[in-house]
Amino acid sequence: MTASRPPLPYDFLPPVPSFTVTSDDMADGGTLPDAQVADADNGLPGENTSPHLRWEGFPPETKSFAVTLYDPDAPTGSGFWHWVVFDIPADVTELPVAASSGEMKGLPEGALHARNDVGGLGYVGAFPPAGHGPHRYVFAVHALDVEKLGPPEGATPAFVGFNLGGHTLARGILMPTYEIPA
């Protein structure tokens, strides 16, 4: 990987206030745990499990949330969307481990998934190419000014992102990294 890195997905959008996002599973700037890495179906030792996330300090007028996970360092020319879930009710301020993987226990009622970039609904763990260097995994929680964002379940991440752009009141980010040695 070259010394220059692709921009983060929100660098060219209008600025919005930030709020705090934390996790019992990972830390901002730390290494993504194997539990959140792709599993044997993708040739990796991970568990392909969506992480625990908690958020606070968002605007009081928030009407719903969306959670996204994006790898800007994927060698695709367009990055890689690992997870997009939206229409999370405003009274939900935490997602438990595996809310968007396996049986999706803990996914809030009414929440919808966009397709990830492998074509499935739900979370797909990290799987950067071996020897490509550390990849940044941008977990973002978006506080929205609408209860329902509008796209149907299974929409593309780009379509959901387009809708997020006009409805985001604030955004919190947690960004661990992951690398597979050559």
Side-chain angles (χ1 to χ4, degrees):
M1 182 176 249
T2 62
S4 66
R5 300 185 88 165
L8 296 179
Y10 311 110
D11 286 351
F12 301 107
L13 296 177
V16 295
S18 64
F19 57 92
T20 302
V21 178
T22 58
S23 174
D24 291 347
D25 299 319
M26 60 192 163
D28 190 52
T31 299
L32 192 67
D34 280 346
Q36 280 69 56
V37 172
D39 58 16
D41 289 344
N42 297 291
L44 294 172
E47 298 172 25
N48 217 35
T49 303
S50 64
H52 164 266
L53 293 174
R54 177 184 311 109
W55 50 93
E56 62 185 357
F58 49 87
E61 62 270 24
T62 299
K63 294 183 179 174
S64 71
F65 295 99
V67 174
T68 59
L69 170 56
Y70 179 73
D71 173 2
D73 303 311
T76 64
S78 61
F80 195 93
W81 291 98
H82 287 262
W83 188 23
V84 178
V85 60
F86 57 99
D87 290 354
I88 299 170
D91 62 349
V92 174
T93 58
E94 187 168 15
L95 291 177
V97 171
S100 283
S101 50
E103 296 178 15
M104 298 193 192
K105 292 182 179 176
L107 185 67
E109 187 173 333
L112 302 174
H113 283 103
R115 283 185 285 129
N116 56 44
D117 278 349
V118 296
L121 299 177
Y123 179 91
V124 62
F127 57 98
H132 198 251
H135 282 220
R136 297 164 293 167
Y137 290 89
V138 184
F139 288 85
V141 179
H142 312 259
L144 307 176
D145 65 1
V146 292
E147 289 182 15
K148 300 292 181 187
L149 191 58
E153 182 154 65
T156 65
F159 185 50
V160 173
F162 177 81
N163 283 275
L164 287 174
H167 294 289
T168 300
L169 298 168
R171 180 182 305 112
I173 292 176
L174 183 67
M175 191 167 48
T177 62
Y178 190 78
E179 178 177 9
I180 298 175

